[in-house]
C-alpha cells in the first residue's frame, strides 16, 4: 500500500501534514498550566463546532465507541428504557452496547438505506404515556449506508409528544463535516471521535453534555469509572485529568479545531457537500445506485455504492488495495458484499476526490463490470468545474 495515495475510507481520514506534526510534541507535565493551554481552548473550540453556548465538553483517551459508553453510563440506570432506530451497522452497535449494559431498548427497525423515521419515533413517544423512555438514540450519519438523518425532526417528535426523554446523538461521522446544531436541535449528548471530521488519528472520544444530561448524572446508576464525567469535571478545574490524557492528540485536536474554524464552518460544510455531490454525479454516470434511498438522506461524508446483483462489492476494495494501493470502505453487516464505500470527509479536495473516482473506475473495469473508463471522472469534473469555490483556506 502506497503511503502517497489518499485514503477513501470513512475514517480514519487523511491527515493534513501540519495537524500530524502537531500531534508530535515533547513530553509535558499533564498536570501543569501548560496542559491547560491545550485543554481549555480545545474545549472552547469544540463548543463552537457543536454550535453550543453551554455544552460541557469532555475529551477521553478513547474512540467514538467510548463516547457512546460515556453517554449511556453517566445518564442512565440498569433497566432504563431507551428508544433507538436500527438502520445500519453503527446504530446496531450502539443498540448492542445498550443491551449489554442492561438497558431495555425499544427498537424501531428501519430498512438499511433509509433515515430515522421521525414519525414512527413520535408515535412511540406518544404511546409512552408513563414516560418510561429515558433517552432517544439517534445516529446522525449512518456510516455503513451513507445515510444522514434529520435530527431536528427527531427533536420535534420528542417535543410534539411532550415527552421528557433526552436526545443522544452519534455524530461520529458528521460532526466537523456536516452541519450540527447542538443547541437548536435540543441535543442532550453529542458523541464524536478524533479520526473522522477532525482529521486526526483515532484515540479521542469527544462528547458534549447539555445541562439536562449533566443533571441526569446525579441519579444515574450504571457503573462507570474511566468514563465518569464527574471525575473529569473535577480534574478540568485544575488543568488535569483523573488519569493521563493523550496530550499529543489533544494538541493535534487544538490545531484541527483552529483549522476548521479558520476555514469557517459553513465553508467546511459546503466543501463536503460539493465533493460529495461530485462523487454522486460519478455514481450516476456509472449507472449505479447509492444505498441511500433518496436524495434527502444522502450523506456528505460517505457514499455507499450498490454494485450489480451477483457481484461481490468487497472485491473492489481488495483489488484497489492490492493493485492500486488505494483504500475504499467495504460493506458492513447487512450490506456486506452489496456495497463499497467512498469516504470523502475530513482533509479532502475536489482533486483528491477525482483520484478516488478514477481508481474506483479502474477497479470496476478490471473486475468486469460494465463501466466506461472516464465516465464518472468526466461527470465529476463537469460538476466541480461548475461548482468549485476552492480557496487557499480550503482543506489546509
Ligand atoms: C466510526 C463510527 C463509530 C465508531 O467510532 P470508533 O471511533 O471506531 O469507536 C460510531 N458511530 C459512527 C457513526 C461511526 O462512523
Amino acid at each position: 500500500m502506497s503511503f502517497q495515495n489518499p485514503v477513501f475510507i470513512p475514517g480514519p481520514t487523511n491527515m493534513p501534514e501540519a495537524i500530524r506534526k502537531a500531534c508530535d510534541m515533547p513530553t509535558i507535565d499533564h498536570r501543569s498550566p501548560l496542559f491547560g493551554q491545550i485543554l481549555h481552548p480545545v474545549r472552547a473550540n469544540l463548543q463552537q463546532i457543536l454550535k453550543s453556548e453551554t455544552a460541557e465538553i469532555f475529551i477521553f483517551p478513547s474512540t467514538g465507541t467510548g463516547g457512546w459508553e460515556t453517554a449511556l453510563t453517566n445518564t442512565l440506570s440498569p433497566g432504563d428504557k431507551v428508544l433507538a432506530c436500527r438502520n445500519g451497522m453503527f446504530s446496531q452497535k450502539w443498540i448492542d452496547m445498550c443491551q449489554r449494559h442492561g438497558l431495555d431498548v425499544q427498537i424501531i427497525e428501519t430498512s438499511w438505506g433509509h433515515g430515522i423515521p421521525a414519525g414512527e419515533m413520535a408515535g412511540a413517544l406518544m404511546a409512552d404515556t408513563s414516560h418510561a423512555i429515558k433517552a432517544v438514540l439517534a445516529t446522525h450519519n449512518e456510516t455503513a449506508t451513507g445515510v444522514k438523518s434529520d435530527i431536528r425532526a427527531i427533536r420535534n417528535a420528542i417535543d410534539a409528544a411532550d415527552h421528557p426523554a433526552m436526545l443522544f446523538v452519534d455524530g461520529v461521522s458528521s460532526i466537523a463535516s456536516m452541519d450540527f446544531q447542538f443547541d437548536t436541535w435540543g441535543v442532550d449528548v453529542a458523541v464524536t471521535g478524533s479520526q473522522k471530521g477532525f482529521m486526526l488519528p483515532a484515540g479521542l472520544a469527544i462528547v458534549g453534555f447539555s445541562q439536562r444530561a449533566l443533571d441526569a448524572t446525579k441519579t444515574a446508576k450504571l457503573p462507570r469509572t474511566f468514563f465518569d464525567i464527574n471525575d473529569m469535571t473535577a480534574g478540568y478545574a485544575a488543568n488535569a485529568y483523573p488519569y493521563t490524557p493523550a496530550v499529543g492528540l489533544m494538541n493535534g485536536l487544538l490545531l484541527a479545531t483552529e483549522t476548521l474554524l479558520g476555514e469557517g464552518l459553513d465553508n467546511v460544510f459546503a466543501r463536503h457537500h460539493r465533493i460529495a455531490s461530485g462523487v454522486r454525479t460519478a455514481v450516476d454516470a456509472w449507472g449505479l445506485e447509492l444505498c441511500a434511498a433518496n436524495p434527502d438522506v444522502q450523506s456528505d461524508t460517505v457514499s455507499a455504492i450498490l454494485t450489480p446483483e451477483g457481484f461481490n462489492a468487497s472485491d473492489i476494495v481488495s483489488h484497489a488495495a492490492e493493485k492500486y494501493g488505494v483504500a475504499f470502505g467495504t460493506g458492513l453487516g447487512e450490506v456486506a458484499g452489496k456495497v463499497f464505500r467512498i469516504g470523502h470527509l475530513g482533509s479532502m479536495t475536489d482533486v483528491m476526490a477525482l483520484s478516488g473516482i478514477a481508481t474506483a473506475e479502474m477497479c470496476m473495469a478490471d473486475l468486469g463490470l460494465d463501466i466506461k473508463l472516464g465516465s464518472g471522472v468526466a461527470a465529476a469534473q463537469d460538476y466541480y468545474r461548475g461548482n468549485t469555490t476552492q480557496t487557499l483556506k480550503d482543506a489546509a
Side-chain angles (χ1 to χ4, degrees):
M1 171 90 39
S2 161
F3 289 122
Q4 281 200 289
N5 291 328
V7 295
F8 297 96
I9 46 177
T13 61
N14 300 292
M15 286 184 271
E17 205 51 30
I19 291 176
R20 221 180 101 193
K21 283 189 182 142
C23 298
D24 179 1
M25 63 181 292
T27 305
I28 62 163
D29 177 2
H30 61 283
R31 298 185 189 282
S32 72
L34 202 51
F35 179 60
Q37 288 172 24
I38 301 171
L39 174 66
H40 301 303
V42 100
R43 291 178 73 225
N45 290 351
L46 288 166
Q47 249 190 359
Q48 278 192 60
I49 289 169
L50 290 183
K51 295 197 177 160
S52 179
E53 300 280 323
T54 52
E56 278 296 327
I57 306 290
F58 301 99
I59 306 160
F60 293 91
S62 182
T63 70
T65 304
W68 285 342
E69 192 155 326
T70 302
L72 303 179
T73 58
N74 283 281
T75 56
L76 300 169
S77 299
D80 274 357
K81 191 163 181 174
V82 300
L83 178 65
C85 162
R86 173 155 53 202
N87 65 337
M89 197 64 192
F90 291 92
S91 45
Q92 154 61 27
K93 287 177 100 170
W94 203 8
I95 287 169
D96 175 58
M97 176 184 277
C98 290
Q99 290 167 333
R100 293 202 214 178
H101 277 92
L103 297 169
D104 172 13
V105 192
Q106 182 175 342
I107 302 172
I108 297 183
E109 295 290 354
T110 304
S111 60
W112 290 30
H114 290 262
I116 302 170
E120 272 182 64
M121 283 247 164
L125 290 161
M126 278 176 197
D128 178 38
T129 48
S130 63
H131 294 168
I133 296 168
K134 299 297 175 221
V136 173
L137 272 52
T139 300
H140 186 200
N141 188 74
E142 221 340 315
T143 318
T145 55
V147 163
K148 69 176 175 190
S149 286
D150 184 348
I151 302 301
R152 187 195 302 263
I154 296 163
R155 163 48 63 196
N156 291 345
I158 299 171
D159 292 349
D162 205 9
H163 200 291
M166 292 177 284
L167 174 58
F168 298 170
V169 182
D170 171 343
V172 180
S173 63
S174 60
I175 290 169
S177 313
M178 283 158 56
D179 192 21
F180 192 92
Q181 302 182 26
F182 189 95
D183 286 359
T184 309
W185 296 345
V187 174
D188 290 295
V189 182
V191 175
T192 188
S194 50
Q195 80 275 27
K196 299 191 182 171
F198 292 101
M199 307 169 281
L200 287 160
L204 298 175
I206 300 163
V207 192
F209 269 61
S210 72
Q211 191 56 53
R212 278 192 68 213
L214 292 172
D215 290 344
T217 67
K218 293 178 191 135
T219 49
K221 297 212 166 43
L222 276 177
R224 55 185 183 272
T225 49
F226 190 85
F227 292 116
D228 195 316
I229 60 165
N230 292 322
D231 293 349
M232 202 55 113
T233 306
Y236 282 169
N239 297 322
Y241 263 50
Y243 37 74
T244 316
V247 176
L249 281 175
M250 290 183 63
N251 197 50
L253 184 58
L254 178 58
L255 183 60
T257 55
E258 286 168 356
T259 305
L260 290 160
L261 294 170
E263 182 178 345
L265 290 180
D266 287 345
N267 296 333
V268 171
F269 305 148
R271 172 166 56 84
H272 281 84
H273 182 69
R274 184 183 69 245
I275 290 171
S277 300
V279 172
R280 292 190 278 262
T281 308
V283 172
D284 201 42
W286 293 332
L288 297 178
E289 302 273 340
L290 292 169
C291 181
N294 61 70
D296 287 350
V297 299
Q298 289 167 352
S299 163
D300 283 342
T301 59
V302 53
S303 296
I305 300 155
L306 289 159
T307 54
E309 279 287 334
F311 180 86
N312 182 2
S314 301
D315 289 349
I316 295 173
V317 178
S318 43
H319 184 78
E322 281 160 26
K323 186 163 176 192
Y324 300 111
V326 170
F328 295 109
T330 54
L332 303 173
E334 262 181 41
V335 290
K338 296 183 179 154
V339 304
F340 74 103
R341 293 176 300 152
I342 301 183
H344 34 74
L345 74 163
S347 177
M348 183 67 57
T349 64
D350 304 6
V351 169
M352 288 162 84
L354 284 170
S355 73
I357 295 166
T359 309
E361 272 177 5
M362 292 194 285
C363 294
M364 290 189 284
D366 289 350
L367 296 168
L369 288 182
D370 183 18
I371 298 288
K372 188 168 173 291
L373 286 181
S375 57
V377 171
Q381 284 171 323
D382 267 338
Y383 181 84
Y384 292 139
R385 287 173 70 215
N387 289 278
T388 190
T389 53
Q390 190 79 9
T391 68
L392 288 176
K393 278 199 296 184
D394 274 17

